[in-house]
Amino acid sequence: MRAYDALPAELRDWVAHAARPWSPRSCLRLWRRAMAEEGCPKRARARLDRAEAAMLARDPGMA
């Protein structure tokens, strides 16, 4: 739970509403990369949404 609590607020909110379970470590890695490349929390969240949608498309049983 500490790892989840240590996530940035925007990312914690995204994880709380995600369609599939994410480990804090994996979503933080994606978040950092998205923030570095996108530079904006809103665009970074959209990128995480796309990553999750791609995962769900590959394995519909995850939804």
Side-chain angles (χ1 to χ4, degrees):
M1 193 54 114
R2 261 185 226 184
Y4 175 80
D5 291 341
L7 296 175
E10 298 95 342
L11 182 54
R12 278 195 320 268
D13 182 62
W14 183 85
V15 170
H17 296 97
R20 64 173 303 271
W22 286 82
S23 75
R25 186 177 186 177
S26 65
C27 65
L28 183 58
R29 185 175 54 246
L30 288 170
W31 177 258
R32 286 180 176 159
R33 185 179 314 142
M35 284 297 292
E37 294 175 9
E38 302 292 343
C40 166
K42 186 176 181 177
R43 288 194 305 260
R45 280 184 68 136
R47 191 162 166 176
L48 290 172
D49 288 339
R50 290 190 302 272
E52 183 172 56
M55 291 178 88
L56 292 171
R58 283 192 300 269
D59 186 0
M62 295 176 107

